[in-house]
Amino acid sequence: MSTTTVAHHDEHADHPTGIMRWLTTTNHKDIGTMYLTFSLIMFLVGGSMILGIRAELFQPGLQLMNPDFFNQLIGVHALIMIFAALMPAATGFANWMIPLQIGAPDMALPRLNNWGFWLLPPSAILLTLPFILALFGIGDGALATGWTFYPPLSIQGGFGVDFAIFAVHLLGISSVLGSINIIVTLYNMRAPGMTLMKMPLFAWGWLITAFLLIATIPVLAGAVTMLLTDRHFGTHFFDAAGGGDPVMFQHLFWFFGHPEVYILLLPVWGFIPQILQTFSRKPVYGYKAQVYSFWAIGALAVVVWAHHFFTAGLPVPALLYFMYSTMAISLPLAVLFFCWIKTMWKGSMSFETPMLFTVGWIILFGIGGLTGLVLADVAADAQYHNSYFVVAHFHYTLFAGGIMGIMAGVYYWLPKMTGHMYNEKLGKTHFWLTAISFNMTFIPQFFLGLAGMPRRIPDYALQFAEFNMISSISAFVLGLSQLLFVYIIITCVRGGKKATDQVWEGAEGLEWTLSSPPPYHSFAEQPVIK
Amino acid sequence: MEIKAEDNGASPDQQRKLANKKLGFKLLWIVAGSIAFSIALVPLYDVLCTLTGLNGKTKTTASVISNTKVDESRWVTVQFTSNVMPGLGWNFHPKQSSIRLHPGKIQTVLFEAKNITSQVVAGQAVPSVSPGVASIYFKKIECFCFVRQELQPGETKLMPLRFFVSTDLPSDVSEMTLSYAFFSADKQ
Ligand code: HEM
Ligand SMILES: [Cu+2]
């Protein structure tokens, strides 16, 4: 489709160059690139923090750090991975690919888009600054509450908590702006003839994510603001002494927190079927069923929050309700799994790196979902809550289900974005290193949790020593393997075999009709979908 | 989405920009709505908890005695525990660890508080009943937890609690625990 690449009058640079290009850009591809780069950097920052934790947990006893610093690392690691690595990666893909996939010239609100991104670096600084200040003897470091901010600990903490609260405010504004932009783009900018039910699944996943974000992020912002006023302005929202209730914070936090886990995954569920379709050379199976499942999961996501604190003393009817509603989520999720498998079924499959990551992803994310069902059982959760079993569960969903899914997307779209093929051999090596060391890191943690090792502790009983040692060594392999990922990306940006427009033999969709890399202004004339 | 170039002077491009802005602002209403919702949750939560007794919350004001019938066919045990929260330099404990009583019968138990610091200190007691379902049947007539308590340096004070257990307490509850947490009520 050569009409789409016809040079528009401002094709070559009516945009500034150098640093000003990036500071002022409103181009969806530039902004997407910035999101993805930021995400990769923060992924490495958050990763190094947790390697500090794994080093401390290598042996029982306190070797490297005091417990307070340990707790700070854990909390900031989680906040960075969720808000500064996973969410920006998904938003980066949205910016890059949604306009291309729906045949739009750009995002609907380009200036808002620029703002959305540039709020991120300041919030990353807010999150990490307390560590640096503490080095100079100012304050006592970052927040030590874990990423969940539970009072009363968060009311007693030092100014690290305030920094984190402001960081969450900025991050919240950023994702609300990003979401509004995506919804408007999807509603107003689709190519003529592309009805909602003809949108690629990635667009669908993001549409529901965006609605979840604008509905729940303000609740988190409200909760942490109340925390702030409790800390400094004498209110007692969560302070029992003044008639408040710390458990109410848990309700507010998880009213956001549970939808958040689907916010992190819906974009991935969107592009996984597209990858499967490409490398199975068969159309996506059950498109409609997948769209309806997205809706079902989006709706259920906001009514199951209390499964995160079954042990806080809820009455039995509430326990039963939250148990059954949580388990009900696995039904639409099972529909999705079925569709993914059926898309591959009897296809002529090939296993390039994106496909390897995708197939691995299905298996590992499956383990994450199944162990979630175990935790949703109220009676079992009384034993497993706050244990390493929970840690292993949410790493199967967030590292495998989130990060490894994003990696599949990176390998899938990198040739399109850069115009070069990445090194396939290194890509495959990266997959196997990641998959094996990931399992070696977290399988032992399931057993540690079953045996009763609590999470968020710097020291542990002797009987847990061997499994922690295995987990720590594997974690370092996992972390170092990601340097290979960085190397592959950098070499691919720099050069390599020229990518064709279609890139992958079985690839279908509007983004593959453009040149690789696509022109700075794509679809100046919108394609028409029949 | 098709944009029809209507004859009002604006190009389709400008019209689209306008439509985008409009929808963007409409979506801000959802954001405003959920901010309002998060604030409204606070009173809603309190109302829900005091109405249903979820979370073991009991009323913070005195109950009126409406029905003085005593159900002599039933025995209920009420246990007492106490905690002093960090930041309050007091000793505080119940004078008896439990009491056996008939539903409907009014009882008085004493708690003893001692200020072990050399300053005048104010505290606020926060009660909680477990199991949570029992908390709305636990009726306080007079309680030191209704107001702030102030102790002189070294002063010891006996604090009374007058209460009864309502006769419509569900029949499967025969035991309940009343716990007091004493918090510092001085501004730091
Ligand atoms: C059918 C699917 C799932 C079920 C039934 C489920 C259930 C649960 C339950 C009951 C807990 C609380 C355990 C405890 O603290 O005692 C939990 C924790 C968690 N889950 Fe899941 N889950 C599912 C899928 C997911 C997915 C898809 C994600 C992320 C993308 C996820 C992320 C998390 C996280 C981050 C936590 C721990 C939060 C914390 O305490 O810090 N879960 N899950
Ligand atoms: Cu959840």
Side-chain angles (χ1 to χ4, degrees), chain A residues 188 190 214-215 218 240-241 245 315, chain B residues 1 20 34 41 45 54-55 126 183:
Chain A
N188 284 358
R190 276 172 285 129
I214 59 176
D245 190 337
Chain B
M1 191 147 277
N20 287 347
S34 56
L41 276 176
Y45 179 84
L54 297 187
N55 247 344
V126 176
F183 289 85

Side-chain angles (χ1 to χ4, degrees), chain A residues 152-419:
Chain A
L153 193 56
S154 55
I155 294 181
Q156 296 155 359
F159 68 45
V161 181
D162 302 318
F163 273 74
I165 289 174
F166 288 127
V168 165
H169 281 148
L170 291 187
L171 291 161
I173 297 172
S174 162
S175 22
V176 166
L177 295 182
S179 304
I180 289 181
N181 201 0
I182 286 168
I183 298 176
V184 176
T185 307
L186 289 176
Y187 271 112
N188 284 358
M189 308 280 284
R190 276 172 285 129
M194 180 176 280
T195 57
L196 279 177
M197 285 311 272
K198 278 187 191 159
M199 285 198 311
L201 282 169
F202 179 57
W204 263 114
W206 247 112
L207 184 62
I208 292 163
T209 295
F211 274 118
L212 281 177
L213 272 169
I214 59 176
T216 61
I217 284 267
V219 177
L220 173 70
V224 295
T225 307
M226 291 176 211
L227 209 55
L228 194 72
T229 61
D230 268 14
R231 284 169 58 79
H232 298 293
F233 304 112
T235 56
H236 297 101
F237 290 109
F238 309 123
D239 183 358
D245 190 337
V247 176
M248 184 176 74
F249 181 85
Q250 303 188 14
H251 283 280
L252 288 172
F253 182 88
W254 289 111
F255 183 82
F256 148 82
H258 186 78
E260 172 68 10
V261 306
Y262 296 103
I263 286 167
L264 294 168
L265 285 201
L266 276 162
V268 178
W269 297 344
F271 63 70
I272 285 289
Q274 296 171 8
I275 299 180
L276 288 172
Q277 168 188 35
T278 299
F279 296 99
S280 308
R281 294 162 183 82
K282 269 179 67 201
V284 167
Y285 179 84
Y287 172 88
K288 274 192 191 158
Q290 296 194 48
V291 172
Y292 297 150
S293 297
F294 287 0
W295 277 112
I297 292 172
L300 282 171
V302 286
V303 295
V304 299
W305 70 92
H307 63 229
H308 289 276
F309 46 99
F310 279 147
T311 56
L314 299 171
V316 176
L319 288 176
L320 288 175
Y321 162 74
F322 282 109
M323 171 165 84
Y324 288 126
S325 57
T326 301
M327 290 178 167
I329 295 192
S330 53
L331 299 177
L333 207 50
V335 173
L336 291 180
F337 271 95
F338 179 78
C339 292
W340 298 330
I341 294 169
K342 191 72 171 59
T343 302
M344 291 187 285
W345 191 252
K346 293 190 175 165
S348 61
M349 301 210 296
S350 59
F351 294 92
E352 286 86 346
T353 312
M355 186 62 165
L356 277 183
F357 267 97
T358 302
V359 176
W361 177 92
I362 294 178
I363 297 167
L364 297 178
F365 175 56
I367 297 177
L370 288 174
T371 50
L373 268 175
V374 175
L375 292 172
D377 183 319
V378 171
D381 188 59
Q383 164 83 4
Y384 304 145
H385 180 64
N386 265 350
S387 79
Y388 257 88
F389 191 90
V390 176
V391 176
H393 156 69
F394 68 72
H395 282 90
Y396 270 82
T397 53
L398 291 181
F399 190 96
I403 299 279
M404 286 177 72
I406 294 285
M407 284 171 177
V410 169
Y411 285 111
Y412 184 55
W413 280 319
L414 203 53
K416 172 55 64 184
M417 296 191 284
T418 62

Side-chain angles (χ1 to χ4, degrees), chain B residues 57-172:
Chain B
K57 275 205 178 176
T58 56
K59 287 227 177 70
T60 49
T61 50
S63 308
V64 271
I65 314 156
S66 49
N67 179 357
T68 44
K69 256 208 302 240
V70 175
D71 180 358
E72 303 216 318
S73 66
R74 261 180 91 182
W75 283 105
V76 176
T77 306
V78 181
Q79 298 172 321
F80 307 101
T81 74
S82 63
N83 282 295
V84 181
M85 302 310 280
L88 183 67
W90 286 10
N91 287 333
F92 172 66
H93 54 85
K95 295 293 277 182
Q96 62 192 102
S97 65
S98 71
I99 189 168
R100 237 161 83 86
L101 47 72
H102 294 301
K105 180 119 171 61
I106 296 170
Q107 291 284 5
T108 303
V109 290
L110 292 175
F111 287 71
E112 188 179 275
K114 181 176 162 69
N115 181 355
I116 52 175
T117 70
S118 56
Q119 275 134 17
V120 183
V121 175
Q124 169 71 54
V126 176
S128 157
V129 170
S130 143
V133 286
S135 55
I136 46 173
Y137 305 99
F138 187 87
K139 310 279 191 191
K140 299 188 287 308
I141 299 166
E142 186 191 326
C143 176
F144 53 90
C145 60
F146 292 156
V147 290
R148 278 171 24 138
Q149 300 288 331
E150 204 171 77
L151 292 186
Q152 298 303 313
E155 182 189 352
T156 303
K157 194 160 154 187
L158 281 181
M159 301 183 173
L161 161 72
R162 273 168 72 72
F163 72 97
F164 64 97
V165 174
S166 151
T167 44
D168 40 359
L169 178 75
S171 57
D172 57 337

